Amino acid sequence: KKIGVVVPTLFTRPDYLEQCLKSIHAAGEAHVILMGPDVDKNANPYKHLVNQLFEEPKEGTLSSKLSFALSSFPREIELITWIGDDDLLAQGSLQSLQNEFENDDELVLIYGACDYIDSAGSKIGENRSGSWALGLAKIGPFLAPQPGSLFSRKAFEAINGLDEKLKLAFDFDLFVSLPKQGKVKYLDKTLASFRWHEESLSVDQRKESVREASVVRRKHASPSLKKFLWLTNPLVEVATYAAGVAVNHRLRRTLSK
């Protein structure tokens, strides 16, 4: 089963982008789409590391642009994902995920552990949320890491791709939509690294992120659970926002040392 990876970028972090693309090649065999503005001109230094260039649409949310790119792979690509241009895939991770899909045709999504790294690439934390993460997300915070995950293209198309109305929580929505199409598996293995750096510490969009997460919970909840969420969602939003502020303060101290 062939793999496709979309890398969205604005070409503003060339060193990180090159590291990201090289990590994909070290992770396994994949068809790589590089998506960005003026991509034919800006992608020259990276053309040897990608298979396909995709001009980023000028209009629409990131989720709509990503959904379009994820639907643009050659038809033989059966397993798909995306990764941020400053994040990294772990060595051999795509090969490990490919093997899991080869051994179980009912799988539609696999995710695993994810390291947090600083701007220099040093490890500063990790996310080992486990198989319980998606169950918790129905009433609490969404902790399953998207970096390093891989999902079935057939299942992705069956749910009509990413929810293009969401600006930030579309990965959350994807992770709770795909289980309706088949099996989900947590792989107890570090599959990727998510980079925290100075540009990642902005709080401007955090409130919108936790608000959208509440929208996703209500969207997928049963009628009885929706009544419960009217009480719990505000508490989860406050707790999630506070946790994000605490993490950012700690990371700022780490980055300043």
Side-chain angles (χ1 to χ4, degrees):
K1 294 184 178 180
K2 295 183 178 181
I3 296 173
V5 181
V6 173
V7 182
T9 183
L10 296 176
F11 297 104
T12 56
R13 301 178 286 210
D15 292 342
Y16 290 155
L17 175 56
E18 184 173 1
Q19 291 176 40
C20 173
L21 294 172
K22 288 181 176 178
S23 79
I24 296 173
H25 285 272
E29 186 176 346
H31 182 103
V32 181
I33 289 180
L34 187 61
M35 179 183 80
D38 297 321
V39 68
D40 288 327
K41 177 181 68 176
N42 290 324
N44 279 329
Y46 317 103
K47 285 184 177 179
H48 64 292
L49 295 170
V50 303
N51 303 92
Q52 186 177 343
L53 301 178
F54 187 88
E55 179 66 27
E56 180 180 323
K58 289 183 170 54
E59 303 295 331
T61 59
L62 176 58
S63 54
S64 68
K65 297 171 183 179
L66 263 177
S67 200
F68 191 20
L70 288 164
S71 301
S72 301
F73 285 109
R75 291 313 307 174
E76 65 267 20
I77 303 297
E78 298 180 67
L79 306 172
I80 57 177
T81 191
W82 76 89
I83 186 169
D85 66 351
D86 55 348
D87 299 333
L88 304 171
L89 291 182
Q91 185 168 358
S93 60
L94 288 179
Q95 182 65 60
S96 297
L97 293 170
Q98 187 180 50
N99 292 340
E100 295 291 332
F101 276 100
E102 292 287 355
N103 292 328
D104 190 344
D105 287 334
E106 296 182 12
L107 281 172
V108 296
L109 169 66
I110 305 178
Y111 68 98
C114 178
D115 285 344
Y116 296 128
I117 59 175
D118 63 18
S119 56
S122 299
K123 182 177 175 179
I124 55 177
E126 63 181 355
N127 179 343
R128 308 194 75 87
S129 58
S131 57
W132 47 266
L134 295 189
L136 173 65
K138 294 178 181 179
I139 58 171
F142 173 60
L143 300 177
Q146 184 278 322
S149 65
L150 191 66
F151 47 95
S152 158
R153 181 179 187 173
K154 181 179 179 181
F156 179 76
E157 292 175 348
I159 62 171
N160 297 315
L162 301 176
D163 187 334
E164 299 180 5
K165 297 187 297 296
L166 298 171
K167 297 178 181 179
L168 299 169
F170 51 86
D171 55 343
F172 179 10
D173 183 72
L174 177 69
F175 272 48
V176 293
S177 298
L178 286 174
K180 300 171 186 177
Q181 302 297 319
K183 291 170 58 176
V184 176
K185 183 172 184 177
Y186 171 77
L187 197 61
D188 190 16
K189 183 176 183 179
T190 301
L191 300 176
S193 295
F194 176 83
R195 193 184 301 272
W196 284 91
H197 48 79
E198 288 81 353
E199 295 175 33
S200 300
L201 302 181
S202 170
V203 298
D204 293 345
Q205 293 182 311
R206 189 171 298 119
K207 288 183 179 179
E208 179 65 14
S209 178
V210 297
R211 187 200 67 80
E212 280 196 353
S214 293
V215 171
V216 172
R217 288 188 205 97
R218 289 194 296 269
K219 172 183 173 181
H220 294 278
S222 63
S224 58
L225 183 56
K226 283 182 180 178
K227 296 178 182 178
F228 180 71
L229 290 177
W230 282 113
L231 297 174
T232 60
N233 263 342
L235 299 176
V236 174
E237 288 180 11
V238 171
T240 303
Y241 181 81
V245 171
V247 169
N248 277 349
H249 283 318
R250 187 177 68 186
L251 289 170
R252 282 196 180 96
R253 289 196 299 270
T254 300
L255 292 169
S256 65
K257 292 180 181 179

